Amino acid sequence: RNPLADPSLMGVSQGATLTVTVFLLFTVYIFNPGSNTVAELPIAWLPPAGMAGGLAAGGIIYLMAFRLDLSPLRITLCGIAIGAVLHALAIGLIAGWGSARIEIILEWLSGSLYARTWDHAIFLLPFTIAGLIILPLIYRPLVLLQFDSAVARSFGLSYRKQFSLALLVSCALAASAVGAVGPIVFVGLMVPHLARFLAGRHFPLVLPLTVVLGAAIVTLADLIGRLVGHAEEVPIGVVTAIVGVPVLLTLLRKAA
């Protein structure tokens, strides 16, 4: 019921960003004190590190939603505030301890597929498969969650349980992806609305269309970044931000 629900607006991406920033900074100091390259880091831990931070941020949103009985748009505003604090903490850590690794970390923060290999995809595979298996199982609850909580309960839905499960799955998928490639902004904002537009009244098509369109848009943004930047590749996050801001403004206008 929230047209502005997006990992980068709800604070999930920022939670993942903070934990990955801490991981990149301090594991290098502990295990590779003479290294300046991400390649020498144990990259298998990046998705779990990002997931931990994203789920923690999602947990804060969850507690605020139920304890304060917030509306969807107010939850988004709280998410923006929480995300701003988490992002500020990450930037503060980079400024204080980034040293020669600032360039590497800032490249990751901009969201990029640069130097990503099939190893990164393999590390993401368990989280992605688990999420995609669960999605069809919670299809009916997702349909009912579009209604007000009282209406959803009248259809026999265990509202809090299903809301919690949907939030857990979405946070886990988003946060693990951020852990691998960095926070690619606005993809989660644009893709679902485009999928709904293409699906029309056929709601069962929204989820599969979202999966396909998400991959296609990220790949297209990567291609544009490579073509525009030539030798200096423009990060995907920059491309999606340029396209995503007009989409956000349009959604804000409709929400108002």
Side-chain angles (χ1 to χ4, degrees), residues 6 31 41 52 55 70-71 86 131 161 175 195 201 228 236 243 248:
D6 172 81
F31 298 109
L41 290 171
L55 289 178
L70 298 177
S71 66
L86 296 175
K161 176 183 176 181
R201 297 182 179 181
V228 172
I236 298 174
V243 177
L248 175 62

Side-chain angles (χ1 to χ4, degrees), residues 32-164:
N32 296 299
S35 171
N36 287 327
T37 61
V38 172
E40 295 182 29
L41 290 171
I43 59 173
W45 288 94
L46 286 181
M51 180 179 289
L55 289 178
I60 296 173
I61 298 297
Y62 171 83
L63 291 175
M64 296 181 70
F66 281 110
R67 289 191 176 183
L68 302 180
D69 194 25
L70 298 177
S71 66
L73 290 180
R74 286 185 177 180
I75 292 175
T76 302
L77 293 175
C78 292
I80 292 172
I82 293 168
V85 172
L86 296 175
H87 182 72
L89 290 174
I91 296 300
L93 287 172
I94 294 170
W97 287 278
S99 184
R101 300 170 184 87
I102 286 182
E103 183 178 347
I104 297 170
I105 297 174
L106 288 181
E107 181 181 330
W108 181 88
L109 286 174
S110 63
S112 175
L113 291 179
Y114 178 75
R116 300 306 189 270
T117 67
W118 284 109
D119 290 338
H120 294 81
I122 292 172
F123 293 138
L124 272 176
L125 204 57
F127 308 114
T128 306
I129 290 176
L132 294 180
I133 289 175
I134 294 174
L135 280 177
L137 301 178
I138 62 173
Y139 166 72
R140 182 178 178 275
L142 284 176
V143 173
L144 294 178
L145 284 172
Q146 294 182 95
F147 300 105
D148 182 81
S149 59
V151 176
R153 288 189 177 98
S154 70
F155 283 98
L157 182 73
S158 178
Y159 189 84
R160 178 170 294 198
K161 176 183 176 181
Q162 297 300 335
F163 178 91
S164 304

Side-chain angles (χ1 to χ4, degrees), residues 179-192:
V181 300
I184 300 177
V185 297
F186 291 120
V187 173
L189 187 68
M190 295 184 291
V191 172

